[in-house]
Amino acid sequence: TNAPSDGALVVGQQADHDAGYALDRFEPTPKRKIAKPSVRLGGRAYEPVELVAAILGRALREALTQHDGLPPDWLVLTHPVQWSPTQRDVLGAAARRAAQALGVQLPEPVFVPEPVAAAQWYARDTHHEPPDVGQRVAVYDLGGGTFDVAVLERTDSGFDVLASGGIDPLGGHD
């Protein structure tokens, strides 16, 4: 996320490009800051919800473009396993703020821990046999800003997280 001098937030490749001109206005990993009261960019304090809403707004805008302007019937937001209810609330508020800025109404989000979402996708993939009930799987996530690992067990209703851990300041960005 990048904050030009006018205060508008820029995300994605444009933010990365603009960072070279004003590094003090650049936050490469807003996810790491979601529990902070504020993030200082270019001399101005932003709430983490603003940074995350800017990112989600771009994704939502693209989704609306691809689906004739129709909002989704359901919304799943993934998050790190260890996120507290307060951190998930910030994520939900950011989605609502992004939708409001685009003039659309989103359904209430369903929150799913990232490794559970990955394991569910893997279990539905038709290229291999899904894990049987009782089997355990490991999921590692080397994202742009963090590295997370989880061990999950397949249950009748999905996957339960047995153990998880991670390193916040280690990711593709680092």
Side-chain angles (χ1 to χ4, degrees), residues 1 30-31 34 47-57 90-91 94-95 98:
T1 311
K31 178 177 161 182
I34 201 156
E47 293 179 7
V49 69
E50 294 176 85
L51 305 180
V52 176
I55 295 166
L56 293 178
V90 171
L91 183 60

Side-chain angles (χ1 to χ4, degrees), residues 14-154:
Q14 186 65 47
D16 289 342
H17 176 269
D18 292 352
Y21 300 105
L23 196 54
D24 68 315
R25 294 184 179 139
F26 182 59
E27 174 49 56
T29 55
K31 178 177 161 182
R32 291 182 185 171
K33 311 289 187 190
I34 201 156
K36 303 274 185 195
S38 66
V39 178
R40 203 143 196 76
L41 299 177
R44 178 179 166 203
Y46 290 84
E47 293 179 7
V49 69
E50 294 176 85
L51 305 180
V52 176
I55 295 166
L56 293 178
R58 181 158 176 191
L60 179 57
R61 187 178 313 108
E62 181 62 29
L64 292 168
T65 298
Q66 291 185 22
H67 296 281
D68 298 323
L70 297 173
D73 292 330
W74 49 279
L75 175 65
V76 176
L77 297 175
T78 63
H79 59 84
V81 170
Q82 68 276 14
W83 270 17
S84 69
T86 301
Q87 290 168 301
R88 292 191 302 269
D89 288 346
V90 171
L91 183 60
R96 286 188 297 279
R97 186 177 287 204
Q100 182 180 20
L102 293 170
V104 296
Q105 184 81 15
L106 291 177
E108 279 301 308
V110 174
F111 294 96
V112 178
E114 291 166 346
V116 173
Q120 289 173 338
W121 178 87
Y122 179 84
R124 290 186 182 112
D125 186 4
T126 58
H127 294 93
H128 52 74
E129 290 294 317
D132 294 327
V133 170
Q135 279 189 302
R136 295 177 178 169
V137 297
V139 175
Y140 73 90
D141 176 4
L142 179 60
T146 61
F147 174 70
D148 298 298
V149 177
V151 177
L152 299 94
E153 183 171 24
R154 177 69 188 236

